[in-house]
Amino acid sequence: MSKFRAPLVFLIMAGMLVFVGVYQSWSVSLSILGMCLISAVMALGVNIQWGYAGLFNAGVMGFTAIGGVAAVLVSYPPVKEAWSAGGGGIGISLLIMLVMSAIIYFSLKLLPKGKLRGLLIFIVLLLGLYVARQFFYPAVSSIESVDSAVSGFLGGMGLPILFSWIVGGVLAAAVAWAIGKVALGLRSDYLAIATLGISEIVIAVIKNEDWLTRGVKNVTGLKRPVPLEAELQQEEWFISLVSRFNESKLAAISDADAKAEMLRSLVIEGSGIFVKLCYAGLFAVVLLIVLALSIRALNSPWGRMMRAIRDNDEAASAMGKDIKKRHLQVFILGSAVIGIAGAMLTTLDGQLTPTSYQPLRFTFLVWVMVIVGGSGNNLGAVFGGFLIWFMWIEAEPIAIVLMSFVTSGMAETSALKSHLIESAPHLRLFLMGLLLLFVLRFSPKGILPEKVRHS
Amino acid sequence: MSYLIGENLTGGYGGMDILNDLTISVDKGEIAVIVGPNGAGKSTAMKALLGMLDLREGQVLLDGKDITNLTPQARVGEGIAFVPQTHNVFTSMTVQENLEMGAFLRRDDIFETMEQIYELFPILKEKRKQAAGELSGGQRQQVAVGRAMMTRPSVLMLDEPTAGVSPIVMDELFDRIIEVKNTGVAVLMVEQNARQALDIADRGYVLVTGRNRFTDTGAALLADPEVRKSFLGG
Amino acid sequence: MPETIEMLNALTLFSNFVLIPGLAYGSQLALGALGVTLVFGILRFANFAHGDLMAFGTMVTILMTWWLQSLGVSISPLPTALIALPIGIIVTALFAVATDKAVFSFYRLKKSPPVILTIASIGVMFMMNAIVRFIIGPNDQRFYDGEKFLMKAREFKQLTGLDEGLSIRYTQVLTVVVALVVVIALFWFLQRSRTGKAMRAFSDNEDLALLSGINPDRVVLITWIIAAALATIAGVLYGMDKSFKPFTYFQLLLPIFAAAIVGGIGHPVGAVVGGYVVAFSEVMVTYAYKKVFVYVLPEDWQPEGLSQLLSTDYKFAVSFIILVVVLLIKPTGLFKGKVIK
């Protein structure tokens, strides 16, 4: 039974996607699939932290957004005027901050503890910030005034956006290192609150530092790793591919004009599906790599040690395991995976919209995925990512149908009826909560539970 | 028949028996002391009497009434008071509030009992407005005993009341416990400081691996050369 | 004496934009933080659903207010919501107690680790969020129908002859007065009443409280009722002062947590102080002092910019920065809160 459980649930999941493809449309089904894959990567990241090590990271949204910023910084072409207008100022102020940090770091290392040291650090901090501001703000305002309707920021490096998936991971890891250094070691629910707060700070920075991310003006038109639909529709090989696929359908039409018309619409439809398939393929490759590495890590001596720490940190620390260091490692790794997913997400969207980052959707929903799927089990997390994203999307039409059915007895003009149908989409939040509570209560190990290991 | 009796107690945690056919009893106006080496099941024996342990066999009788199946809270209501070894006061609350909480179940006037306790532990009256967490170790133990006494219990159980206090404070605490006994309460103690405890004990139980090894009056145990050699360090 | 006038103008400016708004906002946060801190102290978990509990209570009160308004009930100049508030509290308390019975009590009996209860509270948060959005919708609702201003800026100028005006809104006064009454009542209850003391004892040392015969179910029940009442009052005051929007209330969770932790979680006095600390830091750090400096500093000393430490957009971030700093420097908070295990 348990041996077939994982293949079985994934088969059912595939069946549901096919069902949507056949009865709704393949375009919808593939859109869901793409996001399912990204969600699964995110869930893997959270699972590394929570499932392996018991770390409660409620800052998933922050790392996702950092990945998104990486996508912009890597792929967007550099804005030359902005660089020449304010690049120097930004550079100088960053340099000053760096020097300041170095001085503080070394005085913490070298000087004896005491009031004098505290005073020195305070003065350096104040002075550093003051001087940096003198360069920073003029630079920022000159950057932001460069063609502010379309750019007004420094832009990126103009590299292929696929690089950003790695860069997103690295950036997220770097931020996680800083956060982990300060916040790990807090009791689990404090860690949750601290990371929740930090993720809000990250979003606030992205929203407000226009020179870096264009802020709430959004960055649109990011480069794509896959062909554009419009270009695809002109490609000879693609048209012939579509006609080969639909040979019987086309053969049934005798009129040449109607045939061409049919082919054109099939090509348009096919191009959308083809692009989505390309994305899905890329995401699937990432997911498989991350999954394979996660499974390997979990079964390695390192993974055994992590679980030992999670299940009994006192005993583990008594055995001489450096818990804080291990926790930091796992926090960085998990956050990096989330950062990769964040970059993938922005790549898929083709734009960075800071206002779309909301904790309910990007932090807590991912948590539902991990808990429902099965924390501690990588396949469980992946399945949770698939299932929850599927339900998150499909709950809306289902709720509307359900509400229409419930209210079918009411008069067409009834205010209550229109309110109920209008409000139906909010029920998906209800469903998510219910599902989380249900699994937590009756199957706390999730749908695909962690295997009990005998060591 | 004694006032509180635990008869043929057998049980432990998770299928492992810690107590094996153990019998312990104490009468009103008496001090009974349980001593023994580490891991002998001394504290477990007390937990069994309090109902904090799953018993496989045996029964607990209070004044002839079978209380084996009562919850710990219900036993408190029946007149058994317990002073845990650690975390035995409400540190953020004042001494007086600690005593009030001890009398939480009582609906009658508790003023008189409180005065009695202040008489027994004069230092508590002096510090009654102070948070219990700010007191010294010995004073805290007095608060802990005072809190337990507020229910006007017929049985007072103490789990190592002198752990971590200085010898002088220990002597003082034992004096107070004798005074408590003299008010007609049955006192049952688990003690590490076996010699001093047996010195004030009317009954002594020496436990080894959850069984009764020696049972006699405190004085007789102190005089027994075998007990002295094996358990009292000569 | 022009000097004094300048100082008074500066003071008025400061009061108008920092002191009074900070006081009102701080009172709202303090009430919210008190609820979080009580739940943490007694049930021992961080309740992520508290913001949505506030939204729920406010929603019920708004619905009641609308109903009363439709009946023509009015206590002008006071807002109708004030009569609706008790009903909001009762319904919310029932709702909170029912939630506890359906969700949290199970884990309590099983003695699950606190983090499991926190995860359960995330589930509750989703559901409450959905219920509120389903019933009243995700949009802004204004339901304050009382008198607007106790003192208008113009009136103040006429009255005092100063250049700067001071406006005081009724909602601000109402917030501070209600918060004061509620806090005093709560502290009296916790310090003096038998049940309040039992709650403190339970929070201090659960095992010993049980040994003293304190009924844990009753303590938990009362805690939820009080937490629901505090959440509803805080939510209604905030909604009258600003406006009601479910998402804003969800976001309020963060400054409220910050307030509770800054003050020392589990510590009621700390929650109140924390509320004001967070509110005033938010307002003060993001206020542009330029105009104040114009009055108090000699001309040569005047700064060029707005003299704003952080842009207003970072307002929400300020509370998290305080939170993170406190967690790092003194995790038990200003007043010694629960020990972090």
Side-chain angles (χ1 to χ4, degrees), chain C residues 199-234:
Chain C
M199 283 172 65
R200 278 166 55 217
F202 193 88
S203 160
D204 184 316
N205 187 335
E206 187 174 339
D207 291 330
L208 197 61
L210 295 179
L211 276 176
S212 305
I214 292 170
N215 180 354
D217 297 334
R218 203 178 126 82
V219 168
V220 168
L221 181 79
I222 306 273
T223 304
W224 278 116
I225 291 174
I226 295 177
L230 287 168
T232 309
I233 295 169

Coordinates of all heavy atoms in Angstrom, one line a residue, chain C residues 199-234:
Chain C
M199 N -6.1 33.3 36.1 CA -5.5 33.4 34.7 C -4.0 33.7 34.8 O -3.2 33.1 34.1 CB -6.2 34.4 33.9 CG -7.5 34.0 33.4 SD -8.4 35.4 32.6 CE -7.3 35.7 31.2
R200 N -3.6 34.6 35.7 CA -2.2 34.9 35.9 C -1.4 33.7 36.4 O -0.3 33.4 35.9 CB -2.0 36.1 36.8 CG -2.3 37.4 36.1 CD -2.4 38.5 37.1 NE -1.3 38.6 38.0 CZ -1.5 39.0 39.3 NH1 -2.7 39.2 39.8 NH2 -0.4 39.0 40.1
A201 N -2.0 33.0 37.3 CA -1.4 31.8 37.9 C -1.2 30.8 36.8 O -0.1 30.2 36.7 CB -2.2 31.3 39.0
F202 N -2.2 30.6 36.0 CA -2.1 29.6 34.9 C -1.0 30.0 33.9 O -0.3 29.1 33.4 CB -3.5 29.5 34.2 CG -3.6 28.4 33.3 CD1 -4.1 27.2 33.8 CD2 -3.3 28.5 32.0 CE1 -4.3 26.1 33.0 CE2 -3.5 27.4 31.1 CZ -3.9 26.2 31.6
S203 N -1.0 31.3 33.6 CA 0.1 31.7 32.7 C 1.5 31.5 33.3 O 2.4 31.2 32.6 CB -0.2 33.2 32.4 OG 0.9 33.8 31.8
D204 N 1.6 31.8 34.6 CA 2.8 31.7 35.3 C 3.3 30.3 35.3 O 4.5 30.0 35.0 CB 2.7 32.3 36.7 CG 4.0 32.4 37.4 OD1 4.7 31.4 37.4 OD2 4.2 33.4 38.1
N205 N 2.5 29.3 35.8 CA 2.9 28.0 36.0 C 1.7 27.1 35.9 O 1.0 26.9 36.9 CB 3.5 27.9 37.5 CG 4.2 26.6 37.8 OD1 3.8 25.6 37.2 ND2 5.1 26.6 38.7
E206 N 1.6 26.5 34.8 CA 0.4 25.7 34.5 C 0.2 24.5 35.4 O -0.9 24.3 36.0 CB 0.4 25.2 33.0 CG -0.9 24.6 32.6 CD -0.9 24.2 31.1 OE1 -0.1 24.8 30.4 OE2 -1.6 23.3 30.7
D207 N 1.3 23.8 35.6 CA 1.2 22.6 36.5 C 0.8 22.9 37.9 O -0.1 22.2 38.5 CB 2.6 21.8 36.5 CG 2.9 21.2 35.1 OD1 1.9 20.9 34.4 OD2 4.1 21.1 34.8
L208 N 1.4 23.9 38.4 CA 1.1 24.3 39.8 C -0.4 24.8 39.9 O -1.1 24.6 40.9 CB 2.1 25.4 40.3 CG 2.1 25.6 41.8 CD1 2.6 24.3 42.5 CD2 3.1 26.8 42.1
A209 N -0.8 25.5 38.8 CA -2.2 26.0 38.8 C -3.2 24.8 38.8 O -4.2 24.8 39.6 CB -2.4 26.8 37.6
L210 N -2.8 23.8 38.1 CA -3.7 22.6 38.1 C -3.7 21.9 39.5 O -4.7 21.5 40.0 CB -3.2 21.5 37.1 CG -3.2 22.0 35.7 CD1 -2.7 20.9 34.7 CD2 -4.7 22.3 35.3
L211 N -2.5 21.9 40.1 CA -2.4 21.3 41.5 C -3.1 22.2 42.5 O -3.5 21.7 43.6 CB -0.9 21.3 41.9 CG -0.1 20.1 41.5 CD1 1.3 20.2 41.9 CD2 -0.7 18.8 42.1
S212 N -3.3 23.4 42.2 CA -4.1 24.3 43.1 C -5.6 24.2 42.9 O -6.4 24.9 43.5 CB -3.6 25.8 43.0 OG -2.3 25.9 43.1
G213 N -6.0 23.4 41.9 CA -7.4 23.2 41.7 C -8.0 24.2 40.7 O -9.2 24.3 40.6
I214 N -7.1 25.0 40.0 CA -7.7 25.9 39.0 C -8.1 25.1 37.8 O -7.4 24.2 37.3 CB -6.6 26.9 38.6 CG1 -6.3 27.8 39.8 CG2 -7.0 27.7 37.4 CD1 -5.1 28.7 39.6
N215 N -9.4 25.4 37.4 CA -10.0 24.7 36.3 C -9.4 25.2 34.9 O -9.7 26.3 34.6 CB -11.5 24.8 36.4 CG -12.2 24.1 35.2 OD1 -11.5 23.5 34.3 ND2 -13.5 24.0 35.3
P216 N -8.6 24.4 34.2 CA -8.0 24.9 33.0 C -9.0 25.3 31.9 O -8.8 26.3 31.2 CB -7.1 23.8 32.6 CG -7.6 22.6 33.2 CD -8.2 23.0 34.5
D217 N -10.1 24.5 31.8 CA -11.1 24.8 30.8 C -11.7 26.2 31.0 O -11.9 26.9 30.0 CB -12.2 23.8 30.8 CG -11.6 22.4 30.5 OD1 -10.6 22.3 29.8 OD2 -12.2 21.4 30.9
R218 N -11.9 26.5 32.2 CA -12.5 27.8 32.5 C -11.6 29.0 32.2 O -12.0 30.0 31.6 CB -12.9 27.9 34.0 CG -14.0 28.9 34.3 CD -14.3 28.8 35.8 NE -14.2 30.1 36.4 CZ -15.1 31.0 36.3 NH1 -16.3 30.7 35.7 NH2 -14.9 32.2 36.9
V219 N -10.3 28.8 32.5 CA -9.3 29.8 32.3 C -9.2 30.0 30.7 O -9.2 31.1 30.3 CB -7.9 29.4 32.8 CG1 -6.8 30.3 32.3 CG2 -8.0 29.4 34.4
V220 N -9.2 28.9 30.0 CA -9.1 29.0 28.5 C -10.3 29.7 28.0 O -10.2 30.6 27.1 CB -8.9 27.6 27.9 CG1 -9.1 27.7 26.4 CG2 -7.5 27.1 28.3
L221 N -11.5 29.4 28.5 CA -12.7 30.0 28.0 C -12.7 31.5 28.2 O -13.0 32.3 27.3 CB -13.9 29.3 28.8 CG -15.3 29.8 28.4 CD1 -15.7 29.2 27.1 CD2 -16.3 29.6 29.5
I222 N -12.3 31.9 29.4 CA -12.3 33.3 29.7 C -11.3 34.0 28.9 O -11.5 35.1 28.4 CB -12.0 33.5 31.2 CG1 -12.9 32.7 32.1 CG2 -12.0 35.0 31.6 CD1 -14.2 33.4 32.5
T223 N -10.2 33.4 28.7 CA -9.1 34.0 27.9 C -9.6 34.3 26.5 O -9.4 35.4 25.9 CB -7.9 33.0 27.8 OG1 -7.5 32.7 29.1 CG2 -6.8 33.7 27.0
W224 N -10.3 33.3 25.9 CA -10.8 33.5 24.5 C -11.9 34.6 24.5 O -11.9 35.5 23.6 CB -11.4 32.3 23.9 CG -10.4 31.4 23.3 CD1 -10.0 30.1 23.8 CD2 -9.5 31.7 22.2 NE1 -9.0 29.6 23.0 CE2 -8.6 30.6 22.1 CE3 -9.3 32.8 21.4 CZ2 -7.7 30.5 21.1 CZ3 -8.3 32.7 20.4 CH2 -7.5 31.6 20.3
I225 N -12.7 34.7 25.5 CA -13.7 35.7 25.6 C -13.1 37.1 25.6 O -13.4 38.0 24.9 CB -14.7 35.5 26.7 CG1 -15.5 34.2 26.5 CG2 -15.6 36.7 27.0 CD1 -16.4 33.8 27.7
I226 N -12.1 37.2 26.5 CA -11.4 38.5 26.6 C -10.6 38.9 25.3 O -10.7 40.0 24.9 CB -10.4 38.5 27.8 CG1 -11.2 38.3 29.1 CG2 -9.6 39.8 27.9 CD1 -10.4 38.2 30.4
A227 N -10.0 37.8 24.8 CA -9.2 38.1 23.6 C -10.1 38.6 22.4 O -9.8 39.5 21.7 CB -8.4 36.9 23.1
A228 N -11.3 37.9 22.3 CA -12.3 38.3 21.3 C -12.8 39.7 21.6 O -12.9 40.5 20.6 CB -13.4 37.3 21.3
A229 N -13.1 40.0 22.8 CA -13.6 41.4 23.1 C -12.5 42.4 22.8 O -12.8 43.4 22.1 CB -13.9 41.4 24.6
L230 N -11.3 42.2 23.2 CA -10.2 43.1 22.9 C -10.0 43.3 21.4 O -9.9 44.4 20.9 CB -8.9 42.6 23.5 CG -8.8 42.8 25.0 CD1 -7.6 42.0 25.5 CD2 -8.7 44.2 25.4
A231 N -10.1 42.2 20.7 CA -9.9 42.2 19.2 C -11.0 43.0 18.6 O -10.8 43.9 17.7 CB -9.9 40.8 18.6
T232 N -12.3 42.8 19.0 CA -13.4 43.5 18.4 C -13.3 45.0 18.7 O -13.5 45.8 17.8 CB -14.7 43.0 19.0 OG1 -14.7 41.5 18.8 CG2 -15.9 43.6 18.3
I233 N -13.0 45.3 20.0 CA -12.9 46.8 20.3 C -11.8 47.4 19.5 O -12.0 48.5 18.9 CB -12.6 46.9 21.9 CG1 -13.9 46.4 22.6 CG2 -12.4 48.4 22.2 CD1 -13.6 46.3 24.1
A234 N -10.6 46.8 19.5 CA -9.5 47.3 18.8 C -9.9 47.5 17.3 O -9.6 48.6 16.7 CB -8.3 46.4 18.9

